[in-house]
Amino acid sequence: MTTHVTLPSPAGDPSPTDGLSTPVDGVDVVGALSPSRVGDFLACPLLYRFRTIDHLPEPPSPDAVRGTVVHKVLEDLFDLPAAERTPDQAASMLEPAWAALQEVEPDLTAMFGEGGGEITSWLASCRAALDQYFRLEDPRYLEPAERELYVETLTDTGLLLRGFVDRLDIAADGSIRVVDYKSGRAPGEGWEGKALFQLKFYGLVIWRMRGVIPTRLQLMYLGSGEILSYDPDEDDLLATERKVEAVWRAIATARDSGDWRPRRSALCAWCAHQAVCPEFGGTPPPLPEQVTPAD
């Protein structure tokens, strides 16, 4: 089996919209957005700037890397014959996935302090997430149509929407289920809509790409063993498109004015950029001469 590992990239990967305007299928793209970058801007415009314009480095976190390793195991699990997709088999794939990740990023063990003594308990938390997965569904009876599927579409305004879908299930009647794994816990009451936005975004992109509205959007929370499902309709996805376009207009306004205001919230406790944030007495670096936001 060929092993490939993709680390989380908070600052975004190189983009076809890194230039002022890049032709895609003959259309000049005005910009690009992924669900993560939309979430960044809505949470804090300055955070969006730090990640997509300044590309400030962020140290990896055990939680984020747990998600990467667990996603890798679940992706590779479906390469096996159906009968072999068992909890024991998934557990046996965990340490090799972690070792492969360390080959790509050998400094990851620094997350666990001197000597990496906390790795054992961290690996146990990865195993617990995989155990929760098997409580939610039995992969022996599933044959996903796609895994880690890159999707993209252009809106009528030339905005490129894109991202990676963890899993796409297609039934015999052609109905589509979009599945996303989360290694953390399900959101508290009142936060479900925010959690589902990512899937509505993907539902919109798949609809535009394939001409079929997904029947179900499903988030699997492996930290708490819960499933959050939603069945979208055309109005839902059109509303999502309007929201994304509105966010892009706000980003363009901030770009043109240079006004990337911080928005203080409880999320600041996990931000890696407090040292350069005015809310914490810091000073942001000078803006690059040519500002071209891309996801």
Side-chain angles (χ1 to χ4, degrees):
M1 181 187 304
T2 300
T3 299
H4 64 280
V5 178
T6 302
L7 279 169
S9 179
D13 294 324
S15 162
T17 54
D18 280 346
L20 285 176
S21 182
T22 302
V24 175
D25 293 334
V27 178
D28 285 342
V29 175
V30 299
L33 281 177
S34 67
S36 297
R37 299 295 79 85
V38 172
D40 287 344
F41 186 82
L42 291 175
C44 175
L46 186 58
L47 175 64
Y48 175 94
R49 179 202 142 174
F50 286 158
R51 285 179 167 171
T52 64
I53 296 174
D54 299 296
H55 296 286
L56 298 185
E58 297 184 12
S61 73
D63 288 344
V65 178
R66 180 191 302 111
T68 300
V69 172
V70 169
H71 275 69
K72 179 60 179 168
V73 171
L74 293 178
E75 179 187 0
D76 290 347
L77 190 68
F78 285 100
D79 286 332
L80 302 175
E84 297 179 22
R85 300 171 196 161
T86 64
D88 287 345
Q89 180 63 46
S92 73
M93 297 165 69
L94 178 59
E95 292 201 28
W98 167 232
L101 190 58
Q102 288 178 284
E103 287 184 14
V104 178
E105 291 288 335
D107 295 336
L108 284 177
T109 52
M111 295 186 302
F112 301 105
E114 189 69 26
E118 298 173 12
I119 292 178
T120 299
S121 61
W122 178 80
L123 284 171
S125 73
C126 294
R127 283 191 292 271
L130 290 171
D131 288 342
Q132 288 282 24
Y133 167 74
F134 282 92
R135 296 186 185 104
L136 295 174
E137 67 179 11
D138 190 337
R140 294 176 299 175
Y141 299 100
L142 293 168
E143 291 298 338
E146 304 282 358
R147 287 166 287 149
E148 292 299 315
L149 173 67
Y150 175 74
V151 295
E152 69 172 27
T153 191
L154 279 170
T155 69
D156 291 341
T157 63
L159 178 61
L160 183 67
L161 310 182
R162 63 185 182 177
F164 282 91
V165 173
D166 288 345
R167 200 178 88 206
L168 208 64
D169 299 335
I170 301 180
D173 64 0
S175 59
I176 296 174
R177 177 172 65 178
V178 180
V179 179
D180 190 67
Y181 307 120
K182 300 293 185 186
S183 59
R185 303 182 65 83
E189 186 176 351
W191 292 89
E192 293 91 346
K194 183 177 180 181
L196 278 172
F197 171 78
Q198 175 180 358
L199 284 184
K200 290 183 179 181
F201 183 105
Y202 291 143
L204 168 64
V205 175
I206 290 167
W207 176 35
R208 296 303 192 200
M209 289 176 65
R210 302 193 176 200
V212 177
I213 294 176
T215 304
R216 173 149 297 183
L217 309 175
Q218 182 170 295
L219 284 165
M220 303 183 72
Y221 287 96
L222 308 182
S224 54
E226 298 174 67
I227 292 178
L228 179 60
S229 296
Y230 186 78
D231 299 340
D233 58 26
E234 184 173 330
D235 288 341
D236 288 327
L237 300 186
L238 289 174
T240 300
E241 186 172 48
R242 290 193 296 270
K243 179 175 181 177
V244 172
E245 292 279 10
V247 169
W248 179 254
R249 289 194 296 272
I251 290 171
T253 297
R255 174 199 61 201
D256 294 342
S257 66
D259 185 2
W260 301 94
R261 297 188 182 186
R263 182 175 295 133
R264 190 158 189 158
S265 72
L267 298 175
C268 294
W270 289 274
C271 183
H273 307 300
Q274 291 185 12
V276 290
C277 177
E279 290 292 316
F280 295 88
T283 301
L287 274 167
E289 290 185 9
Q290 190 179 63
V291 178
T292 307
D295 72 340

